[in-house]
Amino acid sequence: MAHALGALEASLPANSKEEDAHAKQINSFTVTKPIPYTFDLGNLLVNDANPLPPNPSQAQLQATARDCAQALINQLLTTCPITSSSDGVLMTLPPPTTPLPREKPLPTEKRPTKWEKFAAKKGIKDKKKEGKLVFDEETQEWVPKWGFKGKSKEGDQDWIVEIDETKEKNKKKDGKEDEGGSRGEGRRERKEKARRNERRQRANARKARKNDDGGG
């Protein structure tokens, strides 16, 4: 019987064999089930409601999984828009429709610190959120607030500096020498201003701690 089938297959024309192979290939791509699949393409999910036989074999499980995967691919290729760009071929998925549970609980709201409470009460802004750059109107560029080439050192590189005559006269009367000239005076003023700000911040922090301790 097997010899007769082999002889019959050998006697078929080449075109007939190619058509059979093509038909088998198409059938392998086409998946039909008694109960149609449902899809959530946004989550790359396919739901198969068709029941499995009792005690399914490994081959049956693999065939079922293969059909589900093939059906999902067919649905993606026939319903989702496909575009080509410099990054390659891209497929746009629709929004997910199946809500998925969170792996972890929602994060609890962080309680503000004593300093944050005090800053919010007094309207003090967080300097970190303001950024480290400031726009220089003269050069039309963003420059650092502090440090090398910082906005705070504006005027240090000027080739000519205006001198306050009143201050110069007072220095001569007091017998003080001009250390570093007017440029040095500007640097001393910046340092003194920074020290005043630090003292003010420490005083505010101490006052906030006293208020919290007294109120708590």
Side-chain angles (χ1 to χ4, degrees):
M1 182 67 177
H3 179 71
L5 290 175
L8 178 61
E9 183 177 1
S11 63
L12 291 174
N15 292 338
S16 179
K17 292 181 180 179
E18 292 177 359
E19 290 175 358
D20 291 343
H22 183 64
K24 291 180 180 179
Q25 187 178 13
I26 292 176
N27 290 335
S28 65
F29 294 154
T30 304
V31 180
T32 56
K33 294 287 183 175
I35 302 176
Y37 293 119
T38 57
F39 300 93
D40 179 5
L41 298 183
N43 285 321
L44 298 178
L45 172 67
V46 55
N47 297 305
D48 183 5
N50 295 277
L52 290 171
N55 300 322
S57 63
Q58 187 66 25
Q60 289 174 325
L61 294 177
Q62 290 177 350
T64 302
R66 179 262 166 207
D67 289 344
C68 289
Q70 185 63 58
L72 177 61
I73 293 172
N74 294 346
Q75 192 73 7
L76 289 170
L77 294 176
T78 55
T79 60
C80 295
I82 300 175
T83 57
S84 180
S85 67
S86 58
D87 296 331
V89 180
L90 305 177
M91 175 181 290
T92 304
L93 299 179
T97 58
T98 303
L100 299 177
R102 289 178 58 91
E103 180 186 0
K104 300 181 185 296
L106 288 172
T108 57
E109 186 176 355
K110 186 178 178 181
R111 297 181 60 184
T113 61
K114 292 181 179 180
W115 166 251
E116 289 174 344
K117 291 179 180 178
F118 174 78
K121 183 179 179 181
K122 298 296 183 180
I124 302 174
K125 295 182 180 179
D126 188 359
K127 292 185 178 181
K128 294 181 181 179
K129 296 181 180 179
E130 295 178 356
K132 298 180 180 180
L133 300 179
V134 62
F135 189 72
D136 190 345
E137 295 290 346
E138 184 176 350
T139 61
Q140 295 296 306
E141 293 179 352
W142 289 93
V143 297
K145 290 183 179 180
W146 312 98
F148 180 66
K149 293 184 179 180
K151 185 70 173 175
S152 61
K153 294 185 178 180
E154 185 177 296
D156 284 2
Q157 304 300 324
D158 292 346
W159 64 276
I160 185 170
V161 180
E162 184 179 358
I163 296 177
D164 190 333
E165 294 182 2
T166 304
K167 287 185 178 180
E168 293 297 320
K169 291 178 180 179
N170 292 334
K171 286 180 181 178
K172 291 180 180 179
K173 288 181 180 180
D174 297 339
K176 295 181 180 179
E177 296 182 358
D178 188 6
E179 299 177 358
S182 296
R183 298 184 193 276
E185 185 69 23
R187 285 191 287 269
R188 285 192 293 273
E189 288 180 358
R190 288 199 303 271
K191 291 181 180 179
E192 181 60 29
K193 183 178 180 181
R195 284 193 287 267
R196 286 198 302 269
N197 289 336
E198 289 178 1
R199 290 195 295 268
R200 190 180 299 111
Q201 290 177 2
R202 287 196 295 268
N204 290 337
R206 287 194 298 269
K207 185 177 179 181
R209 285 195 295 270
K210 289 181 182 178
N211 291 338
D212 290 338
D213 294 340

